[in-house]
Amino acid sequence: MTQRMQLKMNKLGIIVICWLIIAFIITLYDYFTLRSDISAGLGYKFTFANHLIFNMGAGFMGALLGGSFLVFYVNEKYRDKPYGFTIIAVIISFIIVVGIIAITLGLISIPIQTGKPLSDEETQKTLTRFLKNPIHVKNIIVWSPVVALTQIMLQFNTKFGEGNMWSMIRGKYQTPKEEQRIFMFVDLNSSTTIAEKLGDEKYHQLLKEFFADITNPILDNKGEIYQYVGDEVVIAWRYKDGIQYNRCVNCFFDMKEQIRKLSTKYISKYDLVPGFKAGIHCGKVVAGEVGIIKRDITFS
């Protein structure tokens, strides 16, 4: 399994765990609300265990379907789209997923409940009542913000860099820490000449595509993109990860190979193939958060 796939599977695993916890909280909320003075009371068919199984099952299926959709499709296919666009697209897709989950749960649970096959008339009537149950509307209202928040958190994770958002949330670098790190500074060759030839907007588009195309080799070699500075990208490794299997060196040649494979695309669009050079260094750095109205993790 590549490092990229491992990162995606980790994200999906976190989504599944978080959504199961939320499903459990929703079950507790429903149960205590129904037992309160503002409710008519528990229905004669209601049991905490059945409601918990229903919510946990829906949460698990939703996390697998919806989480996979977010991680493997939306944030890959639409990573250049505005954040608002992806959130709206995700919410619409979620409503469709809720419908699929409701139908699936109904097809599985109703025959068990009635003890008769789906072809039986009584089972079909029970299934129809189940699908018309307002609880599905409640699930859409409750889970839509959860889905939107999940997408926002995934986008924040991309914004801050893999793992950095969690480090900032738990305050890992609130107090400066000394670390052993490896850094690679990758610069585009003849960037001034290229900018003059292409013009401002097309040059920016070239940079955007170049940075995007070298991202996968960086991730596959366990590198972290520390920052972009003009035509330069700064890549960082934890010392152990970078030294192991010579990842910090192999990364450079993997990026070269990736650009070579895409040379036809660059020639057709820009009439050139971007070349680049790199400097690499390792040693002790001090890592810590800086800033007030904009926070960032810096290495000194």
Side-chain angles (χ1 to χ4, degrees):
M1 182 183 295
T2 64
Q3 179 67 12
R4 271 178 291 154
M5 182 58 68
Q6 184 64 53
L7 289 171
K8 291 176 182 177
M9 293 303 295
N10 289 345
K11 290 176 185 175
L12 181 59
I14 292 171
I15 290 173
V16 169
I17 293 171
C18 290
W19 284 26
L20 285 175
I21 292 172
I22 292 170
F24 180 73
I25 293 171
I26 290 172
T27 303
L28 289 177
Y29 175 82
D30 289 343
Y31 178 72
F32 288 118
T33 299
L34 291 173
R35 295 197 62 181
S36 68
D37 293 338
I38 63 172
S39 169
L42 301 175
Y44 72 95
K45 290 184 178 180
F46 181 93
T47 66
F48 180 82
N50 287 341
H51 196 52
L52 177 64
I53 291 171
F54 174 82
N55 281 333
M56 297 289 278
F60 181 73
M61 290 179 62
L64 283 183
L65 293 174
S68 298
F69 179 68
L70 293 179
V71 172
F72 294 102
Y73 184 78
V74 172
N75 288 282
E76 290 290 321
K77 184 78 172 178
Y78 299 111
R79 57 187 175 186
D80 288 335
K81 295 290 185 181
Y83 289 170
F85 173 87
T86 60
I87 292 171
I88 292 172
V90 163
I91 291 176
I92 293 173
S93 302
F94 166 71
I95 294 173
I96 296 173
V97 169
V98 169
I100 294 173
I101 292 174
I103 293 171
T104 303
L105 288 176
L107 292 175
I108 294 172
S109 63
I110 298 304
I112 296 174
Q113 180 183 326
T114 61
K116 297 177 182 178
L118 280 171
S119 57
D120 184 77
E121 185 176 351
E122 180 186 346
T123 302
Q124 292 176 0
K125 288 181 179 179
T126 306
L127 177 61
T128 301
R129 287 196 300 271
F130 172 80
L131 295 177
K132 290 181 178 180
N133 194 318
I135 194 173
H136 304 306
V137 177
K138 185 213 78 168
N139 285 335
I140 291 175
I141 294 172
V142 171
W143 282 97
S144 290
V146 174
V147 174
L149 182 61
T150 302
Q151 174 61 10
I152 290 171
M153 295 303 287
L154 287 171
Q155 291 173 332
F156 277 5
N157 184 66
T158 302
K159 174 72 174 175
F160 289 114
E162 295 293 341
N164 286 335
M165 185 180 73
W166 177 239
S167 294
M168 295 183 78
I169 290 174
R170 61 194 178 100
K172 179 179 179 181
Y173 294 110
Q174 194 72 38
T175 302
K177 297 183 184 303
E178 189 177 83
E179 295 183 347
Q180 190 85 350
R181 289 269 185 164
I182 301 172
F183 289 91
M184 180 186 287
F185 305 86
V186 180
D187 287 288
L188 202 65
N189 291 335
S190 306
S191 57
T192 302
T193 303
I194 294 173
E196 292 172 348
K197 175 183 176 182
L198 297 179
D200 296 340
E201 292 185 10
K202 202 166 184 179
Y203 174 65
H204 178 81
Q205 185 62 36
L206 170 67
L207 281 182
K208 187 176 181 179
E209 288 195 34
F210 172 71
F211 290 148
D213 291 336
I214 63 173
T215 296
N216 287 342
I218 294 171
L219 294 178
D220 287 342
N221 285 284
K222 287 197 171 183
E224 302 171 12
I225 297 175
Y226 169 47
Q227 60 183 193
Y228 300 104
V229 185
D231 67 336
E232 177 186 71
V233 57
V234 182
I235 307 164
W237 285 268
R238 299 183 187 280
Y239 188 81
K240 182 179 178 181
D241 290 337
I243 290 297
Q244 191 176 34
Y245 307 122
N246 295 321
R247 288 191 182 103
C248 61
V249 177
N250 291 336
C251 179
F252 176 80
F253 296 102
D254 289 347
M255 290 189 292
K256 285 281 189 183
E257 178 62 17
Q258 178 73 356
I259 297 301
R260 186 195 66 78
K261 290 179 181 178
L262 298 171
S263 59
T264 304
K265 177 191 78 170
Y266 282 103
I267 290 173
S268 64
K269 293 181 70 173
Y270 306 105
D271 197 28
L272 59 88
V273 179
F276 59 91
K277 57 187 178 295
I280 192 169
H281 189 58
C282 68
K284 291 181 180 179
V285 295
V286 175
E289 283 189 41
V290 296
I292 300 297
I293 61 173
K294 182 185 185 301
R295 293 202 166 211
D296 205 353
I297 297 173
T298 64
F299 298 99
S300 305

